Amino acid sequence: MTRVILVRHGQTVWNLEMKYQGHADIALSEKGLQQAELVAKRLANEKISAIYASDLNRAYKTAEIIAAKHQLSVTAIPELREISFGEWEGLNYTGITNGWPKIMDDLFTHAETVRIPGGETFPEVKERATKALQKLVGQHPDETIAVVSHGGTIRTILCAALNIPLNYVWNIKQDNTAVNIVQYYDKRSIVELVNDSHHLNLTGSAQNK
């Protein structure tokens, strides 16, 4: 069995401004750096063999802070990037809803069939992310690894692990630096933990709001 600790990146300024990020390479905010330190402290006693991350700055930096507690380096994997929001990147919910009301509505009701203008579909993200993850699982039998990625991508990985349709992708909450744990066996997966962010409550200065 391979145990995979999936972590969402810390907060960015665009998170705070409710802007869709996708492949835009936005750095962690000051609060995001604090959140990364808190999740690193929370995972410090885990026996982690390797740490992987999306190549986007916000995920990679979060992973580096976690890795420092384990004297490990971080391996960047582009397939772990967030869903591409195409023409929506840099816009907030109101701007997108005003410009693409039908597609935006479909995104939350029929996520499995919607293509974001100029961007990806959730099935495409699920395929690239789970394929990359399965490769990592194969490289680390009987070990625990950490994977730092993005809210949309982690949701597709959890849908795959739970064997539920991607139309339910938004039913899974993912806070900044949320910890999710999945156990991968030869023929099945067991979800051990979802969206655990209790580490953010260890200090009032970095609560996940």
Side-chain angles (χ1 to χ4, degrees):
M1 182 269 286
T2 301
R3 191 164 172 262
V4 178
I5 301 174
L6 291 161
V7 181
R8 188 190 173 202
H9 63 79
Q11 186 202 69
T12 70
V13 172
W14 279 21
N15 282 146
L16 200 59
E17 296 173 348
M18 305 294 286
K19 290 181 179 177
Y20 283 53
Q21 299 179 112
H23 288 189
D25 202 5
I26 311 302
L28 294 179
S29 65
E30 193 61 37
K31 182 175 177 179
L33 291 168
Q34 293 174 9
Q35 292 172 333
E37 292 288 351
L38 289 173
V39 74
K41 183 177 180 182
R42 178 257 174 88
L43 297 175
N45 293 324
E46 292 279 354
K47 189 178 179 183
I48 295 173
S49 300
I51 299 182
Y52 300 90
S54 154
D55 62 337
L56 295 177
N57 186 287
R58 56 191 185 274
Y60 194 85
K61 182 62 179 178
T62 301
E64 279 190 320
I65 293 171
I66 295 170
K69 300 285 188 185
H70 301 270
Q71 289 78 52
L72 292 170
S73 59
V74 179
T75 301
I77 299 181
E79 289 82 359
L80 294 172
R81 280 187 175 196
E82 179 61 289
I83 186 171
S84 169
F85 283 110
E87 297 176 32
W88 295 357
E89 293 182 5
L91 302 178
N92 62 21
Y93 177 84
T94 301
I96 297 169
T97 302
N98 289 340
W100 298 267
K102 176 66 167 61
I103 300 175
M104 193 60 167
D105 183 61
D106 287 346
L107 182 68
F108 289 102
T109 54
H110 302 92
E112 198 158 85
T113 58
V114 172
R115 176 174 294 284
I116 297 166
E120 291 181 291
T121 66
F122 274 109
E124 288 171 342
V125 176
K126 177 185 173 184
E127 182 177 358
R128 66 168 160 82
T130 56
K131 187 175 180 181
L133 188 62
Q134 286 301 325
K135 184 177 179 181
L136 297 179
V137 168
Q139 292 171 352
H140 296 280
D142 301 320
E143 294 181 345
T144 294
I145 61 173
V147 173
V148 183
S149 185
H150 307 264
T153 307
I154 291 174
R155 286 179 174 96
T156 68
I157 291 171
L158 291 174
C159 281
L162 291 165
N163 196 27
I164 60 175
L166 288 170
N167 283 337
Y168 298 105
V169 72
W170 299 112
N171 292 38
I172 301 172
K173 188 176 181 182
Q174 284 297 294
D175 292 317
N176 286 120
T177 66
V179 174
N180 310 268
I181 301 176
V182 184
Q183 301 169 8
Y184 288 94
Y185 296 83
D186 286 345
K187 295 183 179 179
R188 65 176 180 143
S189 54
I190 296 177
V191 176
E192 180 182 324
L193 187 68
V194 174
N195 195 44
D196 182 5
S197 59
H198 79 271
H199 49 277
L200 298 181
N201 296 323
L202 298 178
T203 171
S205 63
Q207 290 180 1
N208 186 28
K209 294 180 179 177

